[in-house]
Amino acid sequence: RVEEGYFQKGAEILINRTPGRLDLMGGNDDYTGGLVFETTIREATLVAVQSRPDQTVRFLNPAVKSLGWREKIEFSLADLMDNGIVKPLEAVRAWINKDPARAWCAYVLGNLYFLINRYPGKVNHGFSLYLESDVPLGKGVSSSAALEVAPMKAIAEMYGIHVEGVELASWTQWVEIALTQSACGIMDQLAVVMGDEGCFVPMLCQPCQPQPLVRLPENLRLWGIDSGVRHSVAGLEYESARAATFMGYRFLCDWEKLEPTLDESGALPRWVEPKWNGYLANVSPSQFRMHYENRLPETISGEDFTMIYPIHLDPFTPVRPEVTYPVRAATRYAVEENWRVHNFFSLLSKPTTMIDGNTGFLLGELMYLAHLGYSECGLGSEATDKLVELVREEKANGLLGAKITGGGAGGTVAILGWNRPDAEKAFKRVLDQYAAWSKTVPYVFSGSSPGSDKFGVLRVSCP
């Protein structure tokens, strides 16, 4: 589908395919150091890159034309420099934002900007890049992570830079935070980098410790249904819940007479202290309930919080004076979700023969509790609640559990059930009932595919 003449005939093209991801358990637990449990989806972003002998950089993404965006972006490597010095990040961000029609290229340009800074001697020529994706936007399945990782993998390889695993995930997480100013954790990037077909990627986000992949037991089945309510990590609901979590962490540090310090040694700065190392996930649920929960304010305004604590312990979210933050619920979610995911991970890691009815009940109940935690943090929605309610009604027919996914406030609901005909029929009833209720045709996610590393970089000659 690439237009004639876009790539030079006979010259090498490097290709990478990176899927989106479905968040089964963990959700907003990544930025507080929790264990998360993700799987890839079938839908993916495909990138093809070809080296150029000059300094010109070209991006082509035909699909965005239908969204009112510019499908072709062209500039020179020299545009990123000023008297031989890489321009500051603010200047690059301003160039992108100057024209809303090219906003989609922020992630791809961010990858290039990162590589220029890290490997200035190797990034010495331009390239042509073609991109296409069937990962739906705004459905909470990490279209942004796929759009970051696939170009980074292929562009880096073109420049002779091999990157994979945690390093690739952390580079692209930096891009999303720095260029688009979205306060994301690392779970999305790592899931789409290290995932594989039919498997889950467990990872402890401290800051990024992947565990061996877990294969979905043969007697279980996973689906996702898009609620039709658009989700955005840059949305105020996500920002508010995340900021509230770090507010709770600040209260706990105060009560324990801990003085957090800013650690800038890693890819991203973060506040740390000796008791929990900056991660609320390291607080035990029993200790939280016993010593902290009832002392935390249920809510607090940004203005009142700043009067008590002028320094906010999250470098990536502001404290807005006019916003009321759900401090107690957000802090409780961070502590308890980590505990829930560890239990879920343990249960789902059993051999298929040991995944019995009681195990299925426990898996489902953990999902329902996670969904409730989202709602308490202000990250629920009427549509996703409706989907979860419809799944509950099919408990006797093979559906085990359901929960909102990712950043919440809309997006997709993950559904777990038995891999048998009655559960498939129950799922279709949920789908039909939700379609009638929402007056939409919901998008369904089913199946998975290899992650970016598993696919690797395919080298072909342009015909």
Side-chain angles (χ1 to χ4, degrees), residues 202-270:
M203 66 194 90
L204 185 66
C205 301
Q206 296 195 15
C208 188
Q209 301 175 36
Q211 311 294 314
L213 298 184
V214 175
R215 185 160 293 279
L216 181 67
E218 294 177 1
N219 58 347
L220 293 176
R221 176 101 184 255
L222 180 65
W223 303 268
I225 298 180
D226 170 39
S227 67
V229 178
R230 187 176 177 86
H231 153 80
S232 171
V233 170
L236 187 59
E237 298 93 345
Y238 176 87
E239 177 192 280
S240 174
R242 174 169 173 152
T245 302
F246 285 93
M247 289 175 173
Y249 169 58
R250 186 67 186 88
F251 278 108
L252 268 61
C253 287
D254 193 15
W255 297 333
E256 292 294 330
K257 295 181 170 48
L258 301 169
E259 290 295 334
T261 58
L262 187 62
D263 179 5
E264 299 184 272
S265 62
L268 298 169
R270 66 185 193 88

Side-chain angles (χ1 to χ4, degrees), residues 288-316:
F288 176 75
R289 293 286 299 275
M290 185 182 301
H291 297 297
Y292 308 123
E293 181 173 16
N294 291 333
R295 297 169 68 185
L296 285 168
E298 286 195 19
T299 62
I300 192 170
S301 71
E303 181 179 20
D304 289 345
F305 179 83
T306 303
M307 288 179 64
I308 306 170
Y309 303 113
I311 297 177
H312 179 47
L313 299 184
D314 179 19
F316 306 110

Side-chain angles (χ1 to χ4, degrees), residues 24-99:
L24 184 55
M25 286 290 287
N28 294 311
D29 208 25
D30 55 346
Y31 53 78
T32 56
L35 182 70
V36 297
F37 206 69
E38 316 296 306
T39 186
T40 56
I41 58 176
R42 285 181 178 171
E43 294 80 357
T45 294
L46 189 71
V47 164
V49 178
Q50 186 183 68
S51 175
R52 293 177 58 91
D54 55 21
Q55 298 289 296
T56 301
V57 177
R58 300 190 301 170
F59 302 154
L60 175 60
N61 184 1
V64 300
K65 190 174 183 180
S66 63
L67 301 173
W69 296 337
R70 189 184 304 174
E71 63 179 311
K72 294 181 182 178
I73 308 291
E74 184 171 320
F75 57 94
S76 170
L77 287 178
D79 294 331
L80 300 177
M81 311 294 290
D82 191 359
N83 294 323
I85 300 174
V86 182
K87 287 182 177 179
L89 186 62
E90 295 75 16
V92 177
R93 194 186 297 126
W95 181 83
I96 295 170
N97 295 336
K98 187 177 180 181
D99 182 0

Side-chain angles (χ1 to χ4, degrees), residues 106-107 110-111 114 152 171-180:
Y107 300 115
N111 290 334
F114 179 92
M152 180 70 92
W171 287 7
T172 49
Q173 182 198 18
W174 180 92
V175 169
E176 181 156 353
I177 291 175
L179 261 292
T180 68

